[in-house]
Amino acid sequence: KVSEKILKNSQVSFYCGAIVSYSGSKEENYSLEQMLTHVMYALAKAKEYPGNKIWFFDAELHKKELQENNVELQMQRALNMGEFELYLQPKVDPLTRCLKGAEALVRWRMPGGVFMSPGEFMPVFERTGFSSRLDQHMLQEVGRLLYNWRKQGLKPIPVSVNLSRRTLYEESYIRTLEWVKENYQIDDGEITLEILESMAFGNLIKANELLEKVKNMGYLISMDDFGSGYSSLNVLAKLKIDELKIDQAFLRGITADSREKLILETIVRLAKDLNIPTVVEGVETADHEELGRSLGCDCAQGFLYSKPMPAEDFTDQFMKKGGCQYKFQISK
Ligand code: C2E
Ligand code: MG
Ligand code: MG
């Protein structure tokens, strides 16, 4: 009771990892070391989610641990073997339905042709620090793509790449930004870096210094998934960004008179007052598009227009058919 009261009235969070039978056998003999590893794993999982949580290391978590260990074992080899592939999803003007740009998204094609999506491996990459290596690879792929478009006589459209929380803090990533710009003759504003607002938590000044530096190099900055976590208007006001992407959870939660709608309206209006263009993410239906349009969002992205597709298909389907002039036809 006392701890309940403390937890309710303070900023203290309670996390706990526990172990239950996971092998299904009646007689289990875990060594102390094994139990500790499992409990620490459960604790780490508990800490990934906000709020007060107890996580049990059970059969399901055991399976997840094995999968994550496998990802960790395979990732470097996969990078060397070129298994991380560049997919692109269109960004569209909701008023004209013309193509405005694209977002680069990674797909892991494992041996045997099985695909793994980022949701399954990014958490492991983040934990191990491998995510900045992957981000570096994706940036190089995008630089090469823009270069090849130009070589084929296609006028490049702006492309965004995703960055993990720590990526911009890596010196090697900054060097790759310089190299890509020069080596692939990228024009200013052609590549946008999609950052997460958590990159600035507790480090707003340093984060802004880094953003300033890469903006001076000719990259644009977008804030991804705004409104998904502990979004702060302070971060929005202070970070020097060129675009705001509104998390798709807003569209999922919206009904005619919902609070989500009111919040969404307010965010878009605030961004407009700050002169920051907005992108509405997760547009799946014509109603979503209409909502984005009526709120004044500058750009829309989602399955309504297209799912992410391999870069070569994107080139054939959109770039060779007009690039920025390409107009999406939406069937009712
Ligand atoms: P994100 O950057 O917010 O990307 C948008 C995600 O939403 C993509 O998932 C995309 O496939 C999905 N999506 C787009 N439109 C719709 C829609 O209409 N409905 C639904 N339900 N989903 C839609 P994906 O490709 O699985 O990527 C998930 C996340 O993984 C990304 O979210 C991004 O945070 C991360 N990610 C992807 N590629 C990279 C990368 O190269 N580096 C880093 N650091 N993170 C990446
Ligand atoms: Mg993104
Ligand atoms: Mg997003």
Side-chain angles (χ1 to χ4, degrees), residues 35-87:
M35 284 205 284
L36 256 179
T37 317
H38 294 337
V39 161
M40 292 314 281
Y41 184 78
L43 181 61
K45 283 283 152 216
K47 283 184 181 169
E48 277 178 25
Y49 300 88
N52 304 308
K53 288 269 160 52
I54 302 178
W55 271 62
F56 291 96
F57 191 92
D58 52 12
E60 202 180 313
L61 212 54
H62 186 222
K63 201 170 138 208
K64 196 160 174 54
E65 188 191 29
L66 292 177
Q67 272 168 354
E68 291 194 355
N69 288 346
N70 189 41
V71 164
E72 208 171 325
L73 276 174
Q74 302 289 327
M75 59 195 188
Q76 185 58 52
R77 182 201 52 77
L79 186 64
N80 299 342
M81 299 302 289
E83 290 177 14
F84 295 111
E85 296 187 359
L86 172 63
Y87 272 54

Coordinates of all heavy atoms in Angstrom, one line a residue, residues 35-87:
M35 N 19.5 -18.1 -14.6 CA 18.3 -17.4 -14.0 C 18.6 -15.8 -14.0 O 17.7 -15.1 -14.4 CB 18.0 -17.8 -12.6 CG 17.4 -19.2 -12.6 SD 16.4 -19.5 -11.2 CE 17.6 -19.9 -10.0
L36 N 19.8 -15.5 -13.7 CA 20.1 -14.0 -13.6 C 20.0 -13.4 -15.0 O 19.4 -12.3 -15.2 CB 21.5 -13.8 -13.1 CG 21.6 -13.4 -11.7 CD1 23.0 -13.2 -11.2 CD2 20.9 -12.0 -11.5
T37 N 20.5 -14.1 -16.0 CA 20.5 -13.6 -17.4 C 19.0 -13.4 -17.8 O 18.7 -12.4 -18.4 CB 21.1 -14.6 -18.4 OG1 22.3 -15.1 -17.8 CG2 21.4 -14.0 -19.7
H38 N 18.2 -14.4 -17.5 CA 16.8 -14.4 -17.9 C 16.1 -13.2 -17.2 O 15.3 -12.5 -17.8 CB 16.1 -15.7 -17.6 CG 16.6 -16.8 -18.4 ND1 17.2 -16.6 -19.6 CD2 16.6 -18.2 -18.2 CE1 17.6 -17.8 -20.1 NE2 17.2 -18.7 -19.3
V39 N 16.3 -13.1 -15.9 CA 15.7 -12.1 -15.1 C 16.1 -10.7 -15.6 O 15.3 -9.8 -15.8 CB 16.0 -12.2 -13.6 CG1 15.7 -11.0 -12.9 CG2 15.1 -13.4 -13.0
M40 N 17.4 -10.5 -16.0 CA 17.8 -9.2 -16.4 C 17.2 -8.9 -17.8 O 16.9 -7.8 -18.1 CB 19.4 -9.2 -16.6 CG 20.1 -9.3 -15.2 SD 19.5 -8.2 -14.0 CE 20.2 -6.6 -14.5
Y41 N 17.0 -10.0 -18.6 CA 16.4 -9.8 -19.9 C 14.9 -9.3 -19.7 O 14.5 -8.4 -20.4 CB 16.4 -11.1 -20.7 CG 15.9 -11.0 -22.1 CD1 16.7 -10.4 -23.1 CD2 14.6 -11.4 -22.4 CE1 16.2 -10.3 -24.4 CE2 14.1 -11.3 -23.7 CZ 14.9 -10.7 -24.7 OH 14.4 -10.6 -26.0
A42 N 14.2 -10.0 -18.8 CA 12.8 -9.6 -18.5 C 12.8 -8.1 -18.0 O 12.0 -7.3 -18.4 CB 12.2 -10.5 -17.5
L43 N 13.8 -7.8 -17.2 CA 13.8 -6.4 -16.6 C 14.1 -5.4 -17.7 O 13.5 -4.3 -17.8 CB 15.0 -6.3 -15.6 CG 15.2 -5.0 -14.9 CD1 13.9 -4.6 -14.1 CD2 16.4 -5.1 -13.9
A44 N 15.0 -5.7 -18.6 CA 15.3 -4.8 -19.8 C 14.0 -4.6 -20.6 O 13.7 -3.5 -21.0 CB 16.4 -5.4 -20.6
K45 N 13.2 -5.7 -20.8 CA 12.0 -5.5 -21.6 C 11.0 -4.6 -20.8 O 10.4 -3.8 -21.4 CB 11.3 -6.9 -21.7 CG 12.0 -7.8 -22.8 CD 11.6 -7.3 -24.2 CE 12.6 -7.6 -25.2 NZ 12.9 -6.7 -26.2
A46 N 10.9 -4.8 -19.5 CA 10.0 -4.0 -18.7 C 10.4 -2.5 -18.9 O 9.5 -1.7 -19.0 CB 10.1 -4.4 -17.2
K47 N 11.7 -2.2 -18.9 CA 12.1 -0.8 -19.0 C 11.9 -0.2 -20.3 O 11.9 1.0 -20.5 CB 13.6 -0.8 -18.6 CG 13.9 -0.9 -17.2 CD 15.4 -0.7 -16.9 CE 15.7 -0.8 -15.5 NZ 17.1 -0.9 -15.2
E48 N 11.6 -1.0 -21.3 CA 11.4 -0.5 -22.7 C 10.0 0.2 -22.7 O 9.8 1.0 -23.7 CB 11.4 -1.6 -23.7 CG 12.8 -2.0 -24.2 CD 12.7 -3.1 -25.2 OE1 11.7 -3.3 -25.9 OE2 13.7 -3.9 -25.3
Y49 N 9.2 -0.1 -21.8 CA 7.8 0.5 -21.8 C 7.6 1.4 -20.7 O 8.0 1.1 -19.5 CB 6.8 -0.6 -21.9 CG 7.0 -1.5 -23.1 CD1 7.8 -2.6 -23.0 CD2 6.3 -1.2 -24.3 CE1 8.0 -3.4 -24.1 CE2 6.5 -2.0 -25.4 CZ 7.4 -3.1 -25.3 OH 7.6 -3.9 -26.4
P50 N 6.9 2.6 -20.9 CA 6.7 3.5 -19.8 C 5.7 2.9 -18.8 O 4.9 2.0 -19.1 CB 6.1 4.7 -20.5 CG 5.7 4.3 -21.8 CD 6.4 3.0 -22.2
G51 N 5.7 3.4 -17.6 CA 4.7 3.0 -16.6 C 5.4 1.9 -15.7 O 6.5 1.5 -15.9
N52 N 4.6 1.5 -14.8 CA 5.2 0.6 -13.8 C 4.9 -0.9 -14.3 O 3.7 -1.2 -14.4 CB 4.6 0.8 -12.4 CG 4.9 2.3 -12.0 OD1 6.0 2.7 -12.1 ND2 3.8 3.0 -11.7
K53 N 5.9 -1.6 -14.5 CA 5.7 -2.9 -15.1 C 6.5 -4.1 -14.4 O 7.6 -3.9 -14.0 CB 6.2 -2.9 -16.6 CG 5.3 -2.0 -17.5 CD 4.3 -2.9 -18.1 CE 3.1 -2.1 -18.7 NZ 3.4 -1.0 -19.5
I54 N 5.8 -5.2 -14.5 CA 6.6 -6.5 -14.2 C 6.5 -7.3 -15.4 O 5.5 -7.5 -16.0 CB 5.9 -7.2 -13.0 CG1 5.7 -6.4 -11.8 CG2 6.6 -8.5 -12.7 CD1 5.0 -7.1 -10.6
W55 N 7.7 -7.8 -15.8 CA 7.8 -8.7 -17.0 C 8.2 -10.0 -16.5 O 9.2 -10.1 -15.8 CB 8.7 -8.1 -18.0 CG 8.0 -7.2 -19.0 CD1 7.4 -6.1 -18.7 CD2 7.8 -7.4 -20.4 NE1 6.8 -5.5 -19.8 CE2 7.1 -6.3 -20.9 CE3 8.2 -8.4 -21.3 CZ2 6.7 -6.2 -22.2 CZ3 7.9 -8.2 -22.6 CH2 7.2 -7.1 -23.1
F56 N 7.6 -11.1 -17.0 CA 8.0 -12.4 -16.6 C 8.7 -13.1 -17.8 O 8.3 -13.0 -18.9 CB 6.7 -13.3 -16.3 CG 6.0 -12.8 -15.0 CD1 5.0 -12.0 -15.1 CD2 6.5 -13.3 -13.8 CE1 4.4 -11.5 -13.9 CE2 5.9 -12.9 -12.7 CZ 4.8 -12.0 -12.7
F57 N 9.8 -13.7 -17.4 CA 10.5 -14.5 -18.4 C 9.8 -15.8 -18.5 O 10.0 -16.7 -17.7 CB 12.0 -14.6 -18.0 CG 12.8 -15.2 -19.1 CD1 13.5 -14.4 -20.0 CD2 12.9 -16.6 -19.3 CE1 14.3 -14.9 -21.0 CE2 13.7 -17.1 -20.3 CZ 14.4 -16.2 -21.2
D58 N 9.0 -16.0 -19.6 CA 8.3 -17.2 -19.8 C 8.7 -17.8 -21.2 O 9.6 -17.3 -21.8 CB 6.8 -16.9 -19.7 CG 6.4 -15.8 -20.6 OD1 7.2 -15.4 -21.4 OD2 5.2 -15.3 -20.5
A59 N 7.9 -18.7 -21.6 CA 8.2 -19.4 -22.9 C 8.3 -18.4 -24.0 O 9.1 -18.4 -24.9 CB 7.2 -20.5 -23.2
E60 N 7.3 -17.4 -24.0 CA 7.2 -16.5 -25.1 C 8.5 -15.5 -25.1 O 9.1 -15.3 -26.2 CB 6.0 -15.6 -24.9 CG 5.5 -14.9 -26.2 CD 4.2 -14.1 -25.9 OE1 3.3 -14.7 -25.2 OE2 4.2 -13.0 -26.3
L61 N 8.8 -15.1 -23.9 CA 10.0 -14.2 -23.8 C 11.3 -15.0 -24.2 O 12.2 -14.4 -24.7 CB 10.1 -13.6 -22.4 CG 10.7 -12.2 -22.4 CD1 10.0 -11.2 -23.3 CD2 10.7 -11.6 -21.0
H62 N 11.3 -16.3 -23.8 CA 12.4 -17.1 -24.1 C 12.6 -17.2 -25.7 O 13.7 -17.0 -26.2 CB 12.2 -18.5 -23.6 CG 13.4 -19.4 -23.7 ND1 13.3 -20.7 -24.1 CD2 14.8 -19.1 -23.6 CE1 14.5 -21.2 -24.2 NE2 15.4 -20.3 -23.9
K63 N 11.5 -17.3 -26.4 CA 11.5 -17.4 -27.8 C 12.1 -16.0 -28.4 O 12.9 -16.0 -29.3 CB 10.1 -17.6 -28.4 CG 10.1 -18.2 -29.8 CD 8.7 -18.7 -30.1 CE 8.4 -18.2 -31.5 NZ 7.0 -18.0 -31.8
K64 N 11.6 -15.0 -27.8 CA 12.0 -13.6 -28.3 C 13.5 -13.4 -28.0 O 14.2 -12.9 -28.9 CB 11.2 -12.6 -27.5 CG 11.3 -11.2 -28.1 CD 10.1 -10.4 -27.7 CE 10.2 -8.9 -28.2 NZ 10.4 -8.8 -29.6
E65 N 14.0 -13.9 -26.9 CA 15.4 -13.8 -26.6 C 16.2 -14.5 -27.6 O 17.2 -14.0 -28.1 CB 15.7 -14.3 -25.2 CG 17.1 -14.0 -24.7 CD 17.5 -14.7 -23.5 OE1 17.0 -15.8 -23.2 OE2 18.4 -14.2 -22.7
L66 N 15.8 -15.7 -28.0 CA 16.5 -16.5 -28.9 C 16.5 -15.8 -30.3 O 17.6 -15.7 -31.0 CB 15.9 -17.9 -29.1 CG 16.0 -18.9 -27.9 CD1 15.2 -20.2 -28.2 CD2 17.4 -19.1 -27.6
Q67 N 15.4 -15.2 -30.7 CA 15.3 -14.5 -32.0 C 16.2 -13.3 -31.9 O 17.0 -13.1 -32.9 CB 13.9 -13.9 -32.2 CG 12.9 -14.9 -32.8 CD 11.5 -14.4 -32.8 OE1 11.2 -13.4 -32.1 NE2 10.6 -15.1 -33.4
E68 N 16.2 -12.6 -30.8 CA 17.1 -11.4 -30.7 C 18.6 -11.8 -30.7 O 19.4 -11.1 -31.4 CB 16.8 -10.6 -29.5 CG 15.4 -9.9 -29.6 CD 15.1 -8.9 -28.5 OE1 16.0 -8.7 -27.6 OE2 14.1 -8.2 -28.6
N69 N 18.9 -12.9 -30.1 CA 20.3 -13.4 -30.1 C 20.7 -13.7 -31.5 O 21.8 -13.4 -32.0 CB 20.5 -14.6 -29.3 CG 20.4 -14.3 -27.8 OD1 20.5 -13.1 -27.4 ND2 20.2 -15.3 -26.9
N70 N 19.7 -14.3 -32.3 CA 20.0 -14.6 -33.7 C 20.2 -13.4 -34.5 O 21.2 -13.3 -35.3 CB 18.8 -15.4 -34.2 CG 19.2 -16.0 -35.6 OD1 20.3 -16.5 -35.8 ND2 18.2 -16.0 -36.5
V71 N 19.4 -12.4 -34.3 CA 19.6 -11.1 -35.0 C 21.0 -10.5 -34.8 O 21.7 -10.1 -35.7 CB 18.5 -10.1 -34.6 CG1 18.8 -8.7 -35.0 CG2 17.1 -10.5 -35.2
E72 N 21.4 -10.6 -33.5 CA 22.6 -10.0 -33.1 C 23.8 -10.8 -33.7 O 24.8 -10.2 -34.1 CB 22.7 -10.1 -31.5 CG 23.6 -9.0 -31.0 CD 23.5 -8.9 -29.4 OE1 22.4 -9.2 -28.9 OE2 24.5 -8.7 -28.8
L73 N 23.6 -12.1 -33.8 CA 24.7 -12.9 -34.4 C 24.8 -12.7 -35.9 O 25.9 -12.7 -36.5 CB 24.4 -14.4 -34.2 CG 24.8 -15.0 -32.9 CD1 24.2 -16.4 -32.8 CD2 26.3 -15.0 -32.8
Q74 N 23.7 -12.3 -36.6 CA 23.7 -12.3 -38.0 C 23.9 -10.9 -38.6 O 24.2 -10.8 -39.8 CB 22.3 -12.7 -38.5 CG 21.8 -14.1 -38.1 CD 22.6 -15.2 -38.9 OE1 23.0 -14.9 -40.0 NE2 22.9 -16.3 -38.2
M75 N 23.8 -9.8 -37.8 CA 23.6 -8.5 -38.4 C 24.9 -8.0 -39.1 O 24.8 -7.5 -40.2 CB 23.2 -7.5 -37.3 CG 24.1 -7.3 -36.1 SD 23.3 -6.4 -34.8 CE 24.7 -6.3 -33.7
Q76 N 26.1 -8.3 -38.6 CA 27.3 -7.8 -39.3 C 27.5 -8.5 -40.6 O 27.8 -7.9 -41.6 CB 28.5 -8.0 -38.4 CG 29.8 -7.4 -39.0 CD 29.7 -5.9 -39.3 OE1 29.3 -5.1 -38.4 NE2 30.0 -5.5 -40.5
R77 N 27.2 -9.9 -40.6 CA 27.3 -10.6 -41.8 C 26.3 -10.1 -42.8 O 26.7 -10.0 -44.0 CB 27.1 -12.1 -41.5 CG 27.2 -13.1 -42.7 CD 26.4 -14.4 -42.4 NE 25.0 -14.1 -42.0 CZ 24.1 -13.8 -42.9 NH1 24.3 -13.7 -44.2 NH2 22.8 -13.6 -42.4
A78 N 25.1 -9.9 -42.4 CA 24.1 -9.4 -43.3 C 24.5 -8.1 -43.9 O 24.2 -7.9 -45.1 CB 22.8 -9.2 -42.5
L79 N 25.1 -7.2 -43.2 CA 25.5 -5.9 -43.7 C 26.6 -6.2 -44.8 O 26.5 -5.6 -45.9 CB 26.1 -5.0 -42.6 CG 26.4 -3.6 -43.0 CD1 25.2 -2.8 -43.5 CD2 27.1 -2.8 -41.9
N80 N 27.5 -7.0 -44.5 CA 28.6 -7.3 -45.4 C 28.1 -8.0 -46.7 O 28.6 -7.7 -47.8 CB 29.7 -8.3 -44.8 CG 30.3 -7.7 -43.6 OD1 30.3 -6.5 -43.4 ND2 30.9 -8.5 -42.8
M81 N 27.0 -8.8 -46.5 CA 26.5 -9.5 -47.7 C 25.4 -8.7 -48.5 O 24.8 -9.2 -49.4 CB 25.8 -10.8 -47.2 CG 26.8 -11.8 -46.5 SD 28.2 -12.3 -47.6 CE 27.3 -13.3 -48.8
G82 N 25.2 -7.5 -48.0 CA 24.2 -6.6 -48.8 C 22.8 -7.1 -48.6 O 22.0 -6.9 -49.5
E83 N 22.5 -7.6 -47.4 CA 21.1 -8.1 -47.2 C 20.1 -7.0 -46.8 O 18.9 -7.2 -46.7 CB 21.1 -9.2 -46.1 CG 21.7 -10.5 -46.7 CD 21.8 -11.6 -45.6 OE1 21.1 -11.5 -44.6 OE2 22.5 -12.6 -45.8
F84 N 20.6 -5.8 -46.4 CA 19.7 -4.7 -46.1 C 19.4 -3.9 -47.3 O 20.3 -3.3 -47.9 CB 20.4 -3.8 -45.0 CG 20.6 -4.5 -43.7 CD1 21.9 -4.8 -43.3 CD2 19.5 -4.9 -43.0 CE1 22.1 -5.5 -42.1 CE2 19.7 -5.6 -41.8 CZ 21.0 -5.9 -41.3
E85 N 18.1 -4.0 -47.7 CA 17.7 -3.4 -49.0 C 17.0 -2.1 -48.8 O 16.3 -1.9 -47.8 CB 16.9 -4.4 -49.8 CG 17.7 -5.7 -50.1 CD 16.9 -6.6 -51.0 OE1 15.8 -6.3 -51.3 OE2 17.5 -7.7 -51.3
L86 N 17.1 -1.3 -49.8 CA 16.5 0.0 -49.8 C 15.1 0.0 -50.4 O 14.9 -0.4 -51.6 CB 17.3 1.0 -50.7 CG 16.8 2.4 -50.9 CD1 16.5 3.2 -49.6 CD2 17.7 3.2 -51.8
Y87 N 14.1 0.3 -49.6 CA 12.7 0.4 -50.1 C 12.3 1.9 -50.0 O 12.9 2.6 -49.2 CB 11.8 -0.5 -49.2 CG 11.6 -1.9 -49.7 CD1 12.8 -2.7 -49.9 CD2 10.4 -2.5 -49.9 CE1 12.6 -4.0 -50.3 CE2 10.3 -3.8 -50.3 CZ 11.4 -4.5 -50.6 OH 11.3 -5.8 -51.0

